[in-house]
Amino acid sequence: MIYLDNAATTKVRPEVLKEMLPYYEEYYGNPSSIYYFSASSRDAIDKARQRTARAIKARPSEIFFTSGGSEADNWAIKGTALALRENGNHIITTSIEHHAVLNAAHFLEEMGYRVTYLPVDKYGMINPDDVKNAITKDTILISVMYANNEVGTIEPIKEIGRIARENGIYFHTDAVQAVGHIPTDVEELMVDLLSMSAHKFYGPKGVGALYIREGTKIFPLIHGGSQERNRRAGTENVPGIVGMGKAIELAAEEIEGEYKRVSNMRDTLIDRIISSLPDIRLNGHPESRLPNIINIGVNGVSSDTLLLNLDMAGIYVSGGSACTAGSLDPSHVLLAMGQTKEEAKTSIRFSLGRYNRIDEIDEVVEKFTELVTRLRKN
Ligand SMILES: *Cc1c(COP(=O)(O)O)cnc(C)c1O
């Protein structure tokens, strides 16, 4: 099989799994217990917190572990909106966010908040001027994703961060597709809150973190015990947290080499598909894009048909995102980029990763070209 759906999830690295196992088998103590046996669990969490902080240039005290990217997004948005209710009720986000952000924003609208969903251009890019113009005296939060999970466009986060800071408004970014793939520095980006998820960078599923800048007002989402310095209750997922720490450290160390290797495969795949097939659209920004995500529109063939046929050929890709798989609705991201429903329904995403090799790309191009040619004749 050829797995090209690394934006949906990745395989856990063996080095990561190896570090996790002792926390199932030997050091299973509850980090909140006071006897000596539990010190290993506590120390492991501390170490993972340091590693996570270092990877995004934050302080360990600013890292809060969660159950993943969705929880981090929900927490950032609902937690600040509730904490700042006295200051205003307006939130600015975009029309191309992951549903963890969009549906949290919809929920807040039902609770009486006002939300502005900014448009994007045909490349899926936000214009920082639109952010500036959307700010009112009631604006309490701006949330713009670092890189889009469907088309791979990297947003102008630094510019938006500066605007947010100049106006004294909290700025959250969903960096789930960026962390471990492109340099992520919370100071440079001027963010107050940043979401990440371990299973998008070769760590385990069900663990992530929210970076919360020192001094940021935020309410907990999960109430209970005093874990995560009273901000996120629940016995910690110690093996998961350990895995996340190891995975983020490895990703940060290897980021430059992997960026080159993966973006080279990406460019090869794009160039060869475009040169062998007529009527192909490359979705997403031509330059400001992630090294691993390729989204293309294949005029005349539906994504469902493509996916099914690629599946039979042992090639795993995705139409839009994994989270919208199974739904017949066209991608909200492609629609926001101005595509028609028909165009949006003929798009598929290839997302590459560290386990892909260039000979797989050759094979995919060959099979894909054959398949599309055959399907277009029908
Ligand atoms: C995968 C993803 C999420 C959700 O993360 P989970 O850990 O799967 O909950 C959120 N935002 C983006 C951009 C993603 O790609």
Side-chain angles (χ1 to χ4, degrees), residues 7-9 66-73 96-101 145-150 174-178 195-200 204-208 293 321-323 349:
T9 196
T66 66
S67 65
S70 297
E71 185 190 325
D73 284 343
I96 59 158
E97 298 297 311
H98 187 275
H99 282 106
V101 168
M145 71 199 319
Y146 192 177
N148 183 268
N149 50 304
E150 292 190 32
D174 174 342
V176 172
Q177 289 291 340
S195 306
M196 49 198 138
S197 175
H199 76 100
K200 302 290 174 74
K205 293 168 184 60
V207 60
I293 295 185
S321 68
C323 311
R349 178 185 73 185

Side-chain angles (χ1 to χ4, degrees), residues 3-10 98 148-150 176-177 181 199-200 202 290 292-294 318 320-323 349-353:
Y3 184 76
L4 296 180
D5 204 13
N6 289 277
T9 196
T10 59
H98 187 275
N148 183 268
N149 50 304
E150 292 190 32
V176 172
Q177 289 291 340
H181 302 278
H199 76 100
K200 302 290 174 74
Y202 311 95
L290 287 172
N292 58 328
I293 295 185
I294 300 152
S318 163
S321 68
C323 311
R349 178 185 73 185
F350 299 89
S351 49
L352 318 180

Side-chain angles (χ1 to χ4, degrees), residues 67-95:
S67 65
S70 297
E71 185 190 325
D73 284 343
N74 270 269
W75 186 13
I77 291 165
K78 296 176 193 167
T80 53
L82 289 171
L84 299 180
R85 197 161 40 178
E86 303 298 308
N87 301 21
N89 73 339
H90 180 231
I91 293 158
I92 299 169
T93 185
T94 83
S95 45

Side-chain angles (χ1 to χ4, degrees), residues 4 151-152 262-297 348-352 358 361-362 364-366 368-369:
L4 296 180
V151 297
V262 175
S263 56
N264 185 40
M265 288 193 292
R266 172 198 66 192
D267 295 341
T268 306
L269 185 64
I270 294 173
D271 293 349
R272 293 198 42 203
I273 286 179
I274 288 179
S275 63
S276 11
L277 287 166
D279 253 350
I280 295 285
R281 278 168 289 122
L282 177 65
N283 298 320
H285 198 278
E287 280 117 43
S288 180
R289 60 188 301 132
L290 287 172
N292 58 328
I293 295 185
I294 300 152
N295 191 309
I296 57 168
I348 64 164
R349 178 185 73 185
F350 299 89
S351 49
L352 318 180
I358 195 77
I361 302 302
D362 295 338
V364 167
V365 170
E366 196 177 307
F368 186 73
T369 310

Side-chain angles (χ1 to χ4, degrees), residues 190-262:
M190 292 193 238
V191 294
D192 301 300
L193 303 128
L194 179 145
S195 306
M196 49 198 138
S197 175
H199 76 100
K200 302 290 174 74
F201 50 79
Y202 311 95
K205 293 168 184 60
V207 60
L210 181 63
Y211 156 79
I212 306 176
R213 182 177 293 281
E214 187 87 57
T216 304
K217 290 196 186 80
I218 185 166
F219 283 171
L221 205 59
I222 303 187
H223 295 91
S226 60
Q227 291 90 351
E228 296 297 280
R229 288 142 289 148
N230 274 317
R231 281 181 151 172
R232 200 275 185 182
T235 301
E236 300 87 342
N237 173 3
V238 181
I241 290 170
V242 166
M244 172 158 176
K246 181 67 176 175
I248 205 168
E249 183 177 84
L250 289 170
E253 278 166 16
E254 298 169 6
I255 203 160
E256 262 181 58
E258 272 300 284
Y259 184 95
K260 283 204 193 92
R261 198 183 68 83
V262 175

